[in-house]
Amino acid sequence: MVAAQPAKVLIFSATNGYRHESIPDAINALKTAGPSHNIEFDQTEDAAAFTDGNLATYDAILFLMVTDISPNDIINTEQQSAFQNYLDSGGNFVGIHSASDCLHNATFYQREIGAYFWDHPVLGEAASYPRLYSANGLE
């Protein structure tokens, strides 16, 4: 019997603004655990990886603690189009932790992620932690 090819997953961990110190540890943990689950992980912080041809080579795209506080998105309009094409063609997406804190201007991404990160409430207000916003406003 021929073994199944491992699933290929692209980890994207670029940040523009707050950067979680645990990103390298999380990448290492995923890459270490991958083989035992038949998953091969590639990792990049280079937005140039978001092309139709490159994304099509992956079984899933994983946003790992991606943050973006700039008025421009972490991937440009052309790269967003490639990402949207990938998703519209049945590509898989995994968002970990602050994956809801980027691409604030991309409607397709909001539909994918469900809501955006707004902020952390003041310590002691954990009943509404974290606060999110969607097309309907602050939740």
Side-chain angles (χ1 to χ4, degrees), residues 4 6 30 39 48 50 52 55 61-62 64 68 75 79 109 119-120 122 127 130 133 137:
L30 289 165
I39 302 171
F50 283 78
D52 287 322
L55 296 182
I61 309 302
L62 187 155
L64 178 66
D68 187 10
I75 57 176
Q79 295 156 344
Y109 189 72
D119 67 2
H120 289 284
V122 176
Y133 72 93

Side-chain angles (χ1 to χ4, degrees), residues 30-102:
L30 289 165
K31 287 186 170 189
T32 299
S36 65
H37 298 282
N38 204 26
I39 302 171
E40 177 184 313
F41 289 101
D42 292 337
Q43 186 275 329
T44 190
E45 296 198 354
D46 185 355
F50 283 78
T51 65
D52 287 322
N54 187 52
L55 296 182
T57 67
Y58 290 96
D59 297 298
I61 309 302
L62 187 155
F63 275 30
L64 178 66
M65 300 183 224
V66 176
T67 59
D68 187 10
I69 61 167
S70 73
N72 300 313
D73 288 317
I74 199 87
I75 57 176
N76 69 30
T77 304
E78 185 177 314
Q79 295 156 344
Q80 288 178 34
S81 179
F83 187 30
Q84 183 173 6
N85 291 341
Y86 170 83
L87 295 170
D88 290 348
S89 298
N92 298 294
F93 171 75
V94 177
I96 295 180
H97 193 57
S98 59
S100 63
D101 193 18
C102 64

Side-chain angles (χ1 to χ4, degrees), residues 121 124-130:
E125 294 179 14
S128 62
Y129 179 86

